[in-house]
Amino acid sequence: MDRFETRSIHAGQSPDADTGAVMPSIQLSTTFEQDAPGEDRGFEYARTGNPTRGALEANLASLEGGSHGRAFASGMAAIDAVLHTLEAGDRVVAGNDVYGGTHRLLTQVYDRHDLAVDFVDVTDLDALDAAMTPDTELLWLESPTNPLLSVVDVDGASDVAHEYDAVCAVDNTFATPYLQRPLELGADVVCHSLTKYLGGHSDVVGGALLTDDPDLDEQFGFVQNAAGGTPGPFESFLVLRGTKTLPVRMDRHCENANTLAEWLADHDAVERVYYPGLDSHPGHEVAAEQMDDFGGMVSVELDATLEETSEMVAATDVFTLAESLGGVESLIEQPAAMTHQAIPREERLDAGLRDGLVRFSVGLEHVEDLRADLEQAIESTIVE
Ligand SMILES: *Cc1c(COP(=O)(O)O)cnc(C)c1O
């Protein structure tokens, strides 16, 4: 099989047999001619299957090292499709700091359908083992997590899931398949928000599920068609365009993030840096084992009040104050006031999300411009 960089450009796509067009077409047709009743040429109706989406699904499956892929209208629609395969009375074990939207879906939608969820510190495999029950059908993991960049031993955690005959699913949005391939580490399903690094340019919303298990893929395909949360052809094209440059973008995201993390770790106004690439990070060794590099997300705890921190994140020029992540441009946000603001303060503090916490999605600008921008924002707002 070709190497990652080659597959990111070619997997799922070849020049059009009729026209020679090098790039996949954005196929808008909603219906496809049949040669005889019930005899189609691979496509019949665009919710069920579309050539542009099909190319994307094959491309993503190849990058994650899976045999099957399904694309969805958003990361949440992909996660929802996994949960739709469960039955009332089933239990789910999930990491205690999973993406907020995943937490909301589990606790505010699926609890009404009698799905029970146990949130656990999955960095502790003994705690994970203790939370598993014979009714647990799904283990839901993220690594690294948001916004504290905790690292979960995917190999160890999937072994625990399998002892209980549960499916192990990993949301690989933060790492991307260029840096970490959960299926190779023993997971059964990989989930993505394509909105982040895979799309890569902050201009498309999408999701995907990748697996090596034909039974799981069939169930996901059934939900995809039955519930209809599919991406359009233009969205599929944009993500395909994004994955072509994923390796070169990720290399620079990692390089810039590492440079900033090391610099911030020595900065007087910074109490703590969360970056799995630093030796001081508690998950550094596991990350070094299971990842090829440490990613573009960095969080820091400033020695500052909630108000000072709000002023600091608003004082940057190159970093844009905004939620989301994974685009070419650098973003800055304050979890306590933005992405995690819905969590009551006491609960938030218990989870380690302090008032001075700042999260960076480090982009592809020149790293010296990024460093200078953070320096001026810290200097002009944080009273030492
Ligand atoms: C953004 C995100 C999601 C949700 O994806 P959408 O495309 O916004 O629906 C899920 N998991 C993680 C880790 C994310 O960052």
Side-chain angles (χ1 to χ4, degrees):
M1 192 165 42
D2 289 329
R3 292 172 179 80
F4 192 96
E5 290 78 356
T6 308
R7 284 182 284 124
S8 72
I9 292 168
H10 295 291
Q13 305 153 78
S14 45
D16 184 75
D18 292 334
T19 64
V22 172
M23 289 299 138
S25 63
I26 300 172
Q27 181 51 259
L28 295 171
S29 188
T30 56
T31 186
F32 297 83
E33 184 187 31
Q34 307 199 2
D35 296 323
E39 262 180 51
D40 59 54
R41 296 170 219 165
F43 298 97
E44 54 187 33
Y45 180 63
R47 164 162 42 74
T48 317
N50 161 283
T52 319
R53 186 177 100 209
L56 173 63
E57 291 172 333
N59 182 261
L60 296 173
S62 170
L63 297 186
E64 282 291 359
S67 46
H68 301 82
R70 301 281 174 181
F72 292 85
S74 66
M76 291 320 304
I79 297 168
D80 182 64
V82 177
L83 299 178
H84 255 108
T85 65
L86 303 177
E87 289 175 16
D90 287 349
R91 300 191 78 87
V92 177
V93 169
N96 60 0
D97 54 357
V98 291
Y99 178 70
T102 308
H103 188 278
R104 176 175 55 201
L105 186 62
L106 285 164
T107 56
Q108 294 183 48
V109 178
Y110 278 91
D111 73 321
R112 285 193 261 130
H113 301 273
D114 201 21
L115 206 66
V117 194
D118 302 297
F119 292 101
V120 201
D121 175 5
V122 282
T123 62
D124 176 350
L125 294 184
D126 292 330
L128 169 60
D129 190 78
M132 298 293 292
T133 75
D135 293 331
T136 306
E137 297 295 330
L138 176 68
L139 170 62
W140 190 270
L141 306 175
E142 281 173 31
S143 186
T145 65
N146 176 31
L148 296 181
L149 288 311
S150 298
V151 173
V152 179
D153 173 357
V154 174
D155 188 0
S158 57
D159 281 350
V160 175
H162 295 152
E163 277 169 35
Y164 292 85
D165 288 326
V167 167
C168 176
V170 177
D171 183 334
N172 203 29
T173 299
F174 270 41
T176 83
Y178 182 61
L179 303 181
Q180 169 175 281
R181 288 159 305 281
L183 298 179
E184 289 173 7
L185 298 167
D188 305 294
V189 182
V190 172
C191 158
H192 276 286
S193 168
L194 304 174
T195 316
K196 314 296 167 54
Y197 288 105
L198 296 184
H201 297 75
S202 304
D203 55 9
V204 58
V205 174
L209 297 175
L210 302 316
T211 180
D212 247 342
D213 182 328
D215 292 338
L216 284 173
D217 178 66
E218 200 182 312
Q219 294 178 53
F220 299 151
F222 178 79
V223 176
Q224 186 189 38
N225 185 47
T230 53
F234 185 58
E235 284 73 16
S236 301
F237 175 87
L238 283 177
V239 180
L240 269 174
R241 179 155 126 150
T243 58
K244 289 182 174 68
T245 55
L246 180 69
V248 287
R249 283 188 289 110
M250 290 316 294
D251 281 342
R252 183 61 65 82
H253 280 299
C254 292
E255 192 184 315
N256 283 357
N258 192 67
T259 302
L260 290 183
E262 285 181 352
W263 170 70
L264 287 161
D266 281 338
H267 199 289
D268 287 344
V270 174
E271 286 207 332
R272 185 162 172 193
V273 178
Y274 299 90
Y275 186 64
L278 298 182
D279 287 342
S280 59
H281 189 283
H284 176 68
E285 273 177 36
V286 175
E289 278 278 311
Q290 69 187 15
M291 300 176 76
D292 295 322
D293 205 336
F294 303 101
M297 298 301 295
V298 179
S299 293
V300 299
E301 220 166 81
L302 295 175
D303 185 9
T305 63
L306 187 79
E307 292 69 30
E308 283 175 325
T309 307
S310 294
E311 283 171 24
M312 185 270 165
V313 298
T316 53
D317 294 323
V318 184
F319 279 84
T320 301
L321 178 62
E323 298 183 6
S324 198
L325 60 118
V328 293
E329 71 293 333
S330 290
L331 302 178
I332 188 167
E333 71 113 355
Q334 182 181 16
M338 297 167 70
T339 47
H340 294 66
Q341 175 263 336
I343 308 174
R345 185 159 186 273
E346 286 310 311
E347 223 177 287
R348 185 157 56 64
L349 292 176
D350 280 348
L353 309 179
R354 312 245 170 84
D355 293 339
L357 191 69
V358 175
R359 187 189 80 178
F360 309 104
S361 173
V362 181
L364 310 185
E365 300 92 342
H366 197 290
V367 72
E368 290 309 325
D369 292 334
L370 296 176
R371 190 199 323 241
D373 189 35
L374 292 182
E375 183 63 73
Q376 68 76 20
I378 291 172
E379 266 183 15
S380 63
T381 56
I382 312 268
V383 186
E384 281 181 51

